Amino acid sequence: MFRLASRAAILAVLPAAAFAQTVTPEAIRAATGAIDGAAIIANAAETRNWPSYGLDYAETRHSKLDAINADNVGELGLAWAYDLGSRRGVEATPIVVDGVMFVTASWSVVHALDAVTGERLWVYDPEVPGEYADRGCCDVVNRGVAIHEGTVFVGAYDGWLHAIDAATGERLWKVDTIENREMSYTITGAPRVVNGRVIIGNGGAEYGVRGYVSAYDAESGEMAWRWWSVPGDPAKPYENASMEAAAKTWDPAGEYWKAGGGGTIWDAMAFDPELNLLYVGTGNASPWNRHYRSPGGGDNLYVASIVALDPDTGEYRWHYQNTPGDHWDYTSTQHIILADLEIGGEARKVLMQAPKNGFFYVIDRTNGAFISAEPFVHVTWATGYDENGRPIENPAARDPEAPWETIPSAYGAHNWHPMSFNPETGLVYIPAQGIPLVQQTDPAWELNKEKPMSTMSGQGWNLGFLFNTVAPEAQPFGQLLAWDPVKQEARWKIDHVSPWNGGTLTTAGDLVFQGTADGRFAAYSASTGEALWETPVGTGVVAAPATWEKDGVQYVTIAAGWGGVYGLMQKATENVGPGTVYTFRIGGEATMPAFVKNERTTLVSGVPYDPEHVGEGLALYVSNCLFCHGVPGVNNGGNIPNLGFSTAETLTGAKEIVLGGAMVDGGMPSFEGRMTEEELTRVIAFVQGTADAVRPK
């Protein structure tokens, strides 16, 4: 419920752009105007720039720069730091072209910077309404922009695709990507520009939407095509043959179309110019519980799949489904990397993915043929894959009644945090993790109905599961894992103090860079995993770094800002931000900015309540508050406060906040019409009662 200060107030304190900026609009126009598909392909030979989200169309995140290397990385120092003016999650990989940087903060705000000095050039705020925050599951984040022929493209959290003049920060056009505004669609992913078309997908599967990916003309914003990932109402004509084929894999008795079906395409994309194929990863099914959405079983195409499309027409070419009949929120929206590997003495054009379900996949990218899949973490839902590429499932993982500890859990063995591939070492560097969770069928679940104790049902979530009805036995962990995709085995690993660590970058200097949940930015030997350098950055890091060159000097940049679905409730450092862009170079001597400590250190006390209300308050809290604020008093929160560490004044004044909308601009929704004063009284009783119960005696 209660969230942070308004975005407008935070942005207001940013310094105004300097009048005598060192990078002129003409220079920006010259640098960015030359970026198109051919330039992205040409840049891959030397990687002086970082012109696309994953560096190149293959999304390798492998830089050929080696001026910073294993021998001198210990001499890295700060070149500059820039305050993004954000207090929520920062997930963007900066785009850098000829010394001009474009990076997004939370709320999809775009910052253009002089990449050498950190000077602000312009800021573009898409003005996402604060009340839109509760339309998405996983923080008001954005993973970055795309650039093409002098235009910057950003997909805003509220579903609008914006085209911005790269030189001035002025809007050129914007287009609504949401096909039905009554549904809770969002955008958190970075666009890609392929063959002159801006490709973007949407999130929202938890809220009962039907997934799709869309392409827009980069110059005009006119929609060129849209491909749906799951079938719609069978009483209506199917859009194409792929939807007709998919419908055969869903049980109509579950009326899956009323819950949307899910399959949202919210992150992973890669492009092979030679094959002219666009690869997208699809999300989880809606609702999560297959017993409700498709009671007769079925693979439920094309959820939890990798799909190849014609980027010019959007026509389906082939698919591989990682998790048939997804039941566990095992999205396949995690990073896709293209590579040419020698496997079994044969040169193969492959794509690689390490999705949530814990298996590392190597797939023939020409036709979708299965090559191999092996677990890269401990997995219990399946014992392996057969020769046809289908999982050999543990039947207990689909038990319709008993609780089941899902390993990996819905947080994933690897979530959206990008991995990278170094062709020189032959290794993929994965931010691997484990976050314990027990799930059990929710017998009270109904589509779009708030039910006390039905997880987040008051916020529109459609899961069909209860969570942690018994305590999980697994322990949380986070790792940097170096994985051999040919041998399908780990080469080395680094253990971190927490899950939810940042994405990775690897370079020709035999380096791997990664930010960590406990607020460090570090470099390791890509060959051996030896720790070579680190620096504190004042907050947990979830984004992936970029490296680039200007005037013969190599730089490394990381955007730090704790958040995402796990970061809403948990953290591994007592520093709380703000969101900051850090750029390093050999011999850098800039001073680190001051770090901000979390001041919520005392459990709330003194708020009067009726103990008889605590049980009812628990049920209301689970259905409305749990996945934002966590369990009261267990910890003092992530980037959203844990209410057990509120002040007494906050709880006694909760009516103005919760029902009056006093913090809507900061992302705290108004519950007017959704919660009564009497119900709020019971929620407060639960918060104060729980704080009292866990307080050390």
Side-chain angles (χ1 to χ4, degrees), residues 157-487:
Y157 188 77
D158 60 349
W160 290 84
L161 177 65
H162 297 246
I164 309 161
D165 187 314
T168 66
E170 298 297 319
R171 180 192 301 158
L172 300 175
W173 53 257
K174 74 173 187 176
V175 62
D176 191 358
T177 71
I178 295 180
E179 57 91 24
N180 181 355
R181 279 278 162 187
E182 294 183 1
M183 308 301 289
S184 291
Y185 286 102
T186 56
I187 295 177
T188 57
R192 315 299 201 275
V193 181
V194 173
N195 296 348
R197 291 184 170 88
V198 187
I199 315 295
I200 192 69
N202 302 76
E206 276 66 42
Y207 295 82
V209 303
R210 184 185 179 202
Y212 57 85
V213 62
S214 309
Y216 299 88
D217 181 85
E219 184 173 350
S220 68
E222 181 180 357
M223 190 168 75
W225 54 259
R226 172 169 290 164
W227 184 77
W228 297 92
S229 59
V230 298
D233 187 344
K236 300 177 181 179
Y238 295 114
E239 289 84 359
N240 51 52
S242 64
M243 292 299 98
E244 184 175 4
K248 298 175 182 177
T249 69
W250 294 73
D251 179 7
E255 298 183 315
Y256 57 84
W257 57 93
K258 292 184 177 180
T264 46
I265 299 168
W266 51 265
D267 193 26
M269 300 184 205
F271 173 57
D272 186 327
E274 181 183 354
L275 299 174
N276 198 37
L277 287 178
L278 172 71
Y279 308 96
V280 299
T282 69
N284 57 279
S286 178
W288 289 8
N289 192 324
R290 192 179 67 169
H291 299 312
Y292 285 126
R293 73 172 185 272
S294 190
D299 287 354
N300 298 169
L301 292 172
Y302 297 93
V303 302
S305 299
I306 300 167
V307 182
L309 303 173
D310 184 320
D312 299 315
T313 65
E315 293 181 8
Y316 163 91
R317 290 292 178 255
W318 57 256
H319 79 277
Y320 172 76
Q321 190 168 39
N322 307 76
T323 311
D326 171 46
H327 188 67
W328 309 276
D329 187 27
Y330 283 163
T331 65
S332 292
T333 49
Q334 285 61 50
H335 196 178
I336 295 170
I337 294 178
L338 312 184
D340 295 343
L341 300 179
E342 183 176 325
I343 299 175
E346 180 183 357
R348 302 290 298 269
K349 293 182 179 295
V350 308
L351 62 78
M352 302 178 289
Q353 189 184 46
K356 275 189 179 183
N357 71 17
F359 286 87
F360 189 97
Y361 296 84
V362 181
I363 306 296
D364 188 316
R365 72 174 185 269
T366 68
N367 57 17
F370 174 80
I371 297 175
S372 65
E374 294 293 338
F376 61 94
V377 297
H378 179 54
V379 171
T380 61
W381 72 276
T383 58
Y385 276 68
D386 65 21
E387 62 183 10
N388 297 314
R390 291 192 65 87
I392 305 166
E393 290 189 9
N394 182 341
R398 292 190 188 270
D399 193 296
E401 297 178 358
W404 170 259
E405 183 169 359
T406 54
I407 302 178
S409 75
Y411 287 102
H414 169 221
N415 207 290
W416 65 269
H417 317 78
M419 61 188 191
S420 57
F421 171 63
N422 189 324
E424 297 169 10
T425 63
L427 300 176
V428 177
Y429 303 95
I430 309 169
Q433 64 180 20
I435 301 173
L437 199 66
V438 172
Q439 65 185 51
Q440 182 176 8
T441 291
D442 179 356
W445 178 81
E446 289 185 60
L447 178 65
N448 294 327
K449 294 285 183 65
E450 179 180 359
K451 294 291 186 70
M453 290 302 295
S454 288
T455 310
M456 298 302 285
S457 59
Q459 292 292 291
W461 290 48
N462 284 288
L463 307 181
F465 283 115
L466 303 173
F467 297 94
N468 290 352
T469 54
V470 298
E473 295 182 2
Q475 296 298 311
F477 70 88
Q479 294 175 342
L480 171 58
L481 182 63
W483 188 261
D484 185 329
V486 176
K487 295 182 179 179

Side-chain angles (χ1 to χ4, degrees), residues 10 14 81-90 104-106 111 537-540 558-562 576-582 593 596:
I10 292 170
L14 288 175
Y82 174 85
D83 186 344
L84 287 167
S86 62
R87 298 297 186 271
R88 299 288 290 272
V90 176
T104 55
S106 49
H111 297 252
V537 289
T539 182
I558 184 69
W562 182 246
V576 293
T580 305
V581 181
Y582 296 93
V596 180

